[in-house]
């Protein structure tokens, strides 16, 4: 599995079937000039709307997903001054308690890294082509629509936040 790292080696962005590593993301973004590393882990929970969830299944268009994740990391660097970013997303089956998505950002100060992570997960959910199917204890699967996702935005470049979230 090859890492999708941008030309400047500032970002690690990858879609993969193998389990995700929080430690890999933290190691990648950690820099001597940064005093903060903020992360987000999205994990499979065991319930949704009163139904018992036994597993999730993810599908993605990996080339476009990784390109969008790189755009998100680049925009986070511009908007929040983070120095390095990582965005990993699982495909295939993801058991309860396992990570589906990991984001990590390093910055000189904590506020910037924390803002970048919060903004980036919202952007990822809105603009990265990944689809989720929940499998319930009764055996019935259901494809879940991501309320934030807008297919019309796939062709739009990711931009820096314009709502005052940066800075």
């Amino acid at each position: 599995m090859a890492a999708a790292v941008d030309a400047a080696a500032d970002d690690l962005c990858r879609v993969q079937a193998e389990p995700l590593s929080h430690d890999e993301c933290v190691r990648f973004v950690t820099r001597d000039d940064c005093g903060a590393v903020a992360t987000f882990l999205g994990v499979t929970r065991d319930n949704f709307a009163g139904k018992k969830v036994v597993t999730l299944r993810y599908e993605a268009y990996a080339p476009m997903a990784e390109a969008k994740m790189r755009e998100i990391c680049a925009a986070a660097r511009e908007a929040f001054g983070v120095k390095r970013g990582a965005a990993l997303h699982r495909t295939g089956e993801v058991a309860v308690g396992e990570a589906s998505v990991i984001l990590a950002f390093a910055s000189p100060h904590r506020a910037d890294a924390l803002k970048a992570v919060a903004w980036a997960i919202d952007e990822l959910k809105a603009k990265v082509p990944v689809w989720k199917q929940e499998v319930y204890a009764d055996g019935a699967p259901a494809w879940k629509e991501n309320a934030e996702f807008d297919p019309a935005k796939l062709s739009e470049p990711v931009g820096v936040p314009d709502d005052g979230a940066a800075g």
Side-chain angles (χ1 to χ4, degrees), residues 83 113 130:
K83 302 298 184 182
V130 175

Side-chain angles (χ1 to χ4, degrees), residues 105-119:
F105 289 98
S107 65
H109 305 286
R110 71 180 177 272
D112 297 326
L114 290 167
K115 287 178 193 175
V117 166
W119 173 81

Side-chain angles (χ1 to χ4, degrees), residues 11-151:
D11 304 316
L12 170 67
C13 299
R14 191 172 61 229
V15 174
Q16 66 185 59
E18 300 82 13
L20 305 179
S21 171
H22 179 265
D23 289 345
E24 175 190 15
C25 292
V26 169
R27 273 192 310 273
F28 181 84
V29 302
T30 298
R31 292 171 38 137
D32 290 345
D33 62 344
C34 292
V37 172
T39 63
F40 172 83
L41 277 76
V43 298
T44 301
R45 63 179 175 266
D46 69 356
N47 67 86
F48 179 79
K51 294 182 181 180
K52 180 161 180 58
V53 174
V54 294
T55 194
L56 298 179
R57 294 183 187 130
Y58 285 93
E59 292 185 9
Y61 178 54
M64 184 180 281
E66 289 175 353
K68 285 292 180 187
M69 291 189 298
R70 283 190 297 275
E71 287 181 35
I72 289 167
C73 287
R77 280 197 315 279
E78 183 178 333
F80 303 104
V82 294
K83 302 298 184 182
R84 240 187 223 152
L88 303 183
H89 207 298
R90 272 292 285 278
T91 56
E93 191 160 319
V94 182
V96 170
E98 290 183 354
S100 302
V101 61
I102 301 176
L103 293 169
F105 289 98
S107 65
H109 305 286
R110 71 180 177 272
D112 297 326
L114 290 167
K115 287 178 193 175
V117 166
W119 173 81
I121 189 59
D122 290 341
E123 282 294 292
L124 186 144
K125 291 179 75 67
K127 295 183 179 169
V128 175
V130 175
W131 301 276
K132 175 173 75 173
Q133 182 183 52
E134 291 183 345
V135 180
Y136 303 110
D138 65 8
W143 286 99
K144 303 305 290 184
E145 184 173 329
N146 186 348
E148 297 95 343
F149 185 73
D150 181 355

